Amino acid sequence: MLEQVVHDTAHDINHIKRVVKNAKQIAVDEQADIWVVTAAAWLHDCVTFPKNHPDNKRASGFAAKAACEFLSSIGFPENKLAGVFHAVEAHSYSANITATSLEAKVVQDADRLDGLGAVGVARCYAVAGKLGSKLYNEHDPFCQARQPDSKTAAVDHFYEKLFKTATTLQTATAKRIAEQRVEFMEDFLTQLRTEIS
């Protein structure tokens, strides 16, 4: 049996449950293979490393292998394992693997949606706290005259990754969900600007 190792609250069991929920919704709307999508969503983070670990970018490959070994051991249909493997391996933003199947696109979108909206803001600050980053850069909080660096400030992560992530979504369903979540994040930054000005 796989045992999840949690390195931060952004990748705990609640993250998994939210990704599964997103993935099922997208799979139904996009007519993807629900078996492959659901299995891959549940197991997409079965192997993880801390954000600052040298193997972090390789975690999804390790997770894909572990997921398929586990599924095979419990009698999951053999003809669906390759689909699960690809969906798990390709879900990671940092791994930079192109999702070529509809199911992989669904799982990748479902995972990326969890980095957006209110939960995305909460996860961003949870990880920043774990890494010892500031809430924002006091000299240029919104990266107007400098390159964002999420290792030093949480707000920088919005510009370095999160808003870019929203542009990488591949399914119409995920893009529709993301619009509202990105709008919330922009409103959050507007409010933050008001409070720290």
Side-chain angles (χ1 to χ4, degrees):
M1 180 95 177
L2 294 174
E3 181 179 331
Q4 187 194 24
V5 177
V6 179
H7 301 288
D8 61 71
T9 54
H11 296 91
D12 62 5
I13 190 62
N14 292 312
H15 162 69
I16 304 293
K17 289 177 180 178
R18 290 188 303 269
V19 171
V20 170
K21 179 182 175 224
N22 290 338
K24 285 181 173 180
Q25 178 184 351
I26 299 167
V28 169
D29 289 354
E30 302 290 330
Q31 299 181 337
D33 184 323
I34 198 73
W35 279 72
V36 171
V37 167
T38 304
W42 275 113
L43 296 167
H44 78 280
D45 275 346
C46 65
V47 176
T48 61
F49 298 105
K51 285 289 183 193
N52 55 359
H53 191 281
D55 283 332
N56 184 51
K57 291 182 179 180
R58 298 174 58 215
S60 66
F62 291 123
K65 185 174 184 291
C68 287
E69 287 173 357
F70 170 69
L71 290 170
S72 185
S73 77
I74 62 167
F76 191 80
E78 286 286 325
N79 65 333
K80 296 186 183 293
L81 289 176
V84 172
F85 186 97
H86 177 58
V88 173
E89 185 180 41
H91 89 272
S92 169
Y93 185 89
S94 58
N96 198 26
I97 295 170
T98 301
T100 57
S101 69
L102 175 59
E103 291 71 28
K105 290 174 183 178
V106 168
V107 175
Q108 187 182 86
D109 282 2
D111 184 57
R112 292 180 183 189
L113 279 173
D114 202 51
L116 303 175
V119 168
V121 172
R123 291 180 68 205
C124 176
Y125 277 94
V127 172
K130 178 95 172 174
L131 297 176
S133 301
K134 296 178 180 180
L135 298 179
Y136 55 86
N137 178 297
E138 60 272 20
H139 304 296
D140 183 6
F142 305 100
C143 306
Q144 293 174 312
R146 65 184 180 82
Q147 288 296 312
D149 180 6
S150 59
K151 291 180 180 148
T152 62
V155 167
D156 287 34
H157 195 58
F158 285 58
Y159 300 103
E160 189 174 69
K161 180 180 176 185
L162 300 181
F163 287 138
K164 290 178 183 176
T165 298
T167 68
T168 68
L169 299 173
Q170 300 184 75
T171 63
T173 305
K175 288 176 183 178
R176 189 179 67 248
I177 295 167
E179 284 179 15
Q180 182 182 21
R181 295 187 183 198
V182 168
E183 186 177 327
F184 172 86
M185 294 167 74
E186 290 168 344
D187 289 345
F188 172 83
L189 292 178
T190 299
Q191 179 64 27
L192 181 63
R193 189 187 304 271
T194 299
E195 293 181 15
I196 66 176
S197 294

